[in-house]
Amino acid sequence: QVQVVESGGGLVQAGGSLRLSCAASGIIVSIGNMGWYRQTPGKERELVAIVTSGGNTYYGDSVRGRFTISRDSAKKMVYLQMNSLTPEDTRVYYCRADMQTSALSVMKAYWGQGTQVTVSS
């Protein structure tokens, strides 16, 4: 069973920092892009950051310069360092990993269950 599990969310004051972690596990042939998205109930899921298998990174406009994504491919993990947090960053944060789980399968998106980040003013 392939799983993607996030950790590291919580409550932080405005101006503070949090680091999210995401681990992929199970039978995995290869991992492509790994990334973070966030969502407020009733709204569309928003891209936060993506890191490709080659290490290229892309950020949403609202987090560029404050958040940093990184990955450890050997450990099948991706991280999101979030600095200078504001109440507008309060969301559920989801990890996504694009993975191939057998030699005959195509790359498919796998999502975690989400972790709540709450920033108080």
Side-chain angles (χ1 to χ4, degrees):
Q1 184 78 5
V2 175
Q3 281 190 312
V4 175
V5 179
E6 305 100 336
S7 61
L11 174 64
V12 65
Q13 288 190 331
S17 298
L18 277 177
R19 187 186 192 220
L20 304 183
S21 299
C22 171
S25 63
I27 299 175
I28 300 168
V29 173
S30 66
I31 303 178
N33 295 344
M34 302 184 80
W36 293 93
Y37 294 72
R38 64 186 187 181
Q39 188 173 27
T40 299
K43 295 192 175 181
E44 289 189 3
R45 198 164 287 186
E46 170 192 14
L47 168 69
V48 177
I50 291 174
V51 56
T52 69
S53 57
N56 293 318
T57 57
Y58 302 90
Y59 294 92
D61 290 340
S62 60
V63 306
R64 191 176 294 114
R66 299 187 298 124
F67 292 10
T68 302
I69 190 170
S70 60
R71 70 189 279 172
D72 184 331
S73 294
K75 294 182 178 179
K76 300 183 180 67
M77 295 194 69
V78 63
Y79 308 95
L80 186 69
Q81 178 66 42
M82 304 185 294
N83 298 329
S84 302
L85 285 161
T86 75
E88 288 68 38
D89 294 314
T90 296
R91 302 276 200 287
V92 177
Y93 285 70
Y94 296 90
C95 177
R96 167 179 165 165
D98 296 341
M99 300 187 287
Q100 183 183 11
T101 57
S102 77
L104 299 178
S105 67
V106 299
M107 203 73 77
K108 176 184 171 183
Y110 290 83
W111 293 88
Q113 292 298 307
T115 184
Q116 177 70 46
V117 170
T118 302
V119 185
S120 63
S121 58

